[in-house]
Amino acid sequence: MSARFLRICAVVALPLLGLTGCAVTPAASQPSAPPASQAPSAAPAAPSGTPTPIPTTDALPADALLEVTATATAANGAVLNLRIVVLRERLWSDPVALPRAKATDKRCGGGELDLATIKQSKFAFGEADYSATLAEGSVAWPKNLPMLLAPYGNNGASRTAAGDAYQKEYTLGGPGDYEPMCAQRAFLPGQGDGQVYLGSPDTTGAHPFHLWSREVYGFDFNLPNKKVNPASVVVSDCVGTVTPLGNTLGAPNAAWVITSSGVKCLVGDPEVQNKPHN
């Protein structure tokens, strides 16, 4: 499996000029620590004594599919350790998935997606857990530097944020423009911990639970309708680690890449149909 990962990185990294950190690796066993980045980006100038970020070594849960880690450094010297843990999809009635289904019903049940529809359409729900932890000794993270959380496309039927993650409607401002509650993108305000529940109906009746592998996961400081000043933040050390369970459930596919372009860290199947920043 390791050779396949290396071939994927070698093929996709060269044409993507300006992208760094092609380091999608399989996890040999649980728990696992993320590997060091192969090509960290240079951080903005910071005052002396800037804290050194420490990679996370927390054990992954048994149903983890993917771990993504990165470091964000603001121009004021603040450092965030970024981490995503993607958990496997489960049928809505599964005891693990039922709270995800109920949270979706609470947010989207007013005419968009209620529990009755979830049950009738045999929805499955995955979960992505996001954390942005201030490095030890770091100054406070700037209040004007929130981050967009991927996935931000519409491959699934619903997206519901919890914890410190929040959702916000963004439209192009035209007459009648509307973004459904369950399609609104999710954000972290900076330091914090949040979850995003990703729901989709079972269209095959077989419940293969591979839909997660056709998404991209990450942190992006470019917001809808607003690009961040690249001098204000640098994202580096972008690393993706697929677990053995993730290998059995569709990852990586031939489209998987790491996109690390200074203000973002994205791992997975790139979003090509939807424009996440509009």
Side-chain angles (χ1 to χ4, degrees):
M1 194 66 203
S2 297
R4 185 183 177 192
F5 273 100
L6 294 175
R7 285 199 297 272
I8 291 171
C9 277
V11 170
V12 299
L14 293 176
L16 300 176
L17 299 179
L19 307 187
T20 62
C22 187
V24 181
T25 59
S29 60
Q30 304 282 354
S32 65
S37 171
Q38 295 180 4
S41 305
S48 60
T50 298
T52 301
I54 301 174
T56 179
T57 57
D58 292 345
L60 293 174
D63 59 346
L65 304 169
L66 170 71
E67 179 185 46
V68 178
T69 58
T71 301
T73 305
N76 71 343
V79 176
L80 284 178
N81 294 319
L82 307 178
R83 187 188 192 210
I84 306 168
V85 177
V86 182
L87 305 179
R88 66 171 298 173
E89 299 162 274
R90 294 174 181 269
L91 191 62
W92 73 272
S93 56
D94 185 290
V96 173
L98 188 56
R100 306 170 187 172
K102 289 182 176 179
T104 301
D105 172 65
K106 182 176 180 180
R107 177 174 176 81
C108 311
E112 289 185 11
L113 182 61
D114 57 21
L115 201 56
T117 303
I118 288 170
K119 180 178 180 179
Q120 181 179 11
S121 299
K122 298 180 181 179
F123 263 67
F125 289 89
E127 177 176 338
D129 294 339
Y130 300 82
S131 65
T133 306
L134 205 62
E136 185 176 356
S138 173
V139 298
W141 188 256
K143 293 183 179 180
N144 62 343
L145 275 179
M147 61 199 84
L148 174 63
L149 305 178
Y152 35 47
N154 295 321
N155 289 336
S158 70
R159 175 172 35 239
T160 301
D164 294 323
Y166 64 94
Q167 289 173 270
K168 185 175 179 180
E169 180 180 12
Y170 280 90
T171 68
L172 296 178
D177 275 3
Y178 169 71
E179 191 173 48
M181 295 284 285
C182 269
Q184 291 172 7
R185 284 156 281 194
F187 305 82
L188 271 181
Q191 180 183 1
D193 297 276
Q195 301 78 42
V196 176
Y197 307 132
L198 302 165
S200 59
D202 176 37
T203 57
T204 66
H207 301 294
F209 302 128
H210 283 195
L211 184 62
W212 78 276
S213 68
R214 297 192 288 275
E215 299 280 10
V216 63
Y217 301 88
F219 300 90
D220 190 343
F221 285 92
N222 281 331
L223 305 182
N225 306 327
K226 181 182 179 181
K227 286 192 174 182
V228 69
N229 182 343
S232 64
V233 63
V234 165
V235 177
S236 60
D237 304 315
C238 181
V239 176
T241 304
V242 179
T243 70
L245 179 61
N247 292 154
T248 67
L249 293 175
N253 63 48
W256 269 48
V257 295
I258 284 185
T259 303
S260 180
S261 60
V263 298
K264 67 182 70 173
C265 168
L266 303 173
V267 177
D269 197 337
E271 182 60 67
V272 294
Q273 291 182 326
N274 303 297
K275 296 180 179 180
H277 300 116
N278 289 343

